[in-house]
Amino acid sequence: MQCLKFSLFISIVFCCLVSEPALAAPGGKIASKFFDGFWGKMLFIGLFILFLPLITMNWLKQNRAIKRTRRDLVLLSNYSDAFNIFNLTERVFETYRRVHTCWSDQNLEGARNYMTEWLLRNQQEQYLNKWKMNGLVNICTIRKITSVEPYGVIHSADLNDHEGTKLIIRIVAKMQDYLKDEKTGEIIEGSEEYKKVSKIWTFTLTEGHWLLSNIEECDTLMSYIKNLNYLPTIESLEKRQENGKG
């Protein structure tokens, strides 16, 4: 249990080094201000130096996960165009921008073709509707998507049927993200400054289309990477399918 907590702490530190935590963008997480201010930043630098070897090890694990996932996507693209890396990346970019635009408009209906029904209802009711009732609006303005990296393919294990396959993607973008009072214009949380924000988005293949099915903070990333060790490779699925035909 202690090892799990320690690994979680390291992954949080690593993610914070790469980007600012999200404020209240899709996913609804309000940022912690623990590392704000002079002493907070000094503490952060000290922790980074102290845990640099473990942070480096996690960085290497992340790179291995990306390489495996890209290889899996190449192999799966032989079975379905849904796994073509260029088409998939375009879909992710389009979904990210569409969801954030609708989020700022306080109405996710315009993103219905990009999200699962469950996630759309959850985000609309859990966050947007409540903020609207309180006269608040979350402004999310994307300047640039700086990184889109795949960290795992959770396949349905049947290469003839890809329905329900999940793809774990880490997205980093430079953006504004703040909560303000609609009437007064007062900023309640965050600032108008553009910062790098990192999130883990899960896409699920549904009737041939990739739909956003979950949004998480980047501290969940290492648990996904660990689970990759227990997932069969696409090569092993191919061999199993060939043996079944034989």
Side-chain angles (χ1 to χ4, degrees), residues 103-106 131-132 135-139 178-182:
W103 186 268
S104 288
D105 293 339
Q106 298 180 289
W131 285 333
K132 193 170 185 178
L136 302 175
V137 60
N138 183 206
I139 303 300
Y178 60 92
L179 199 64
K180 74 171 185 178
D181 186 301
E182 279 194 292

Side-chain angles (χ1 to χ4, degrees), residues 3-4 6-8 10-11 14-15 51-71 149-152 168 170 220-230:
C3 290
L4 180 61
F6 189 67
S7 297
L8 177 61
I10 293 300
S11 62
F14 178 84
C15 288
F51 294 113
L52 182 58
L54 288 172
I55 292 172
T56 302
M57 182 176 67
N58 278 1
W59 180 80
L60 292 172
K61 288 180 179 179
Q62 290 192 32
N63 274 275
R64 284 197 294 268
I66 292 172
K67 288 180 180 178
R68 170 178 168 171
T69 304
R70 288 188 177 277
R71 185 180 68 247
E149 294 288 1
Y151 279 87
I168 312 303
R170 179 168 177 265
T220 63
L221 184 58
M222 294 310 297
S223 63
Y224 281 117
I225 291 174
K226 182 179 179 181
N227 288 335
L228 272 180
N229 297 325
Y230 304 101

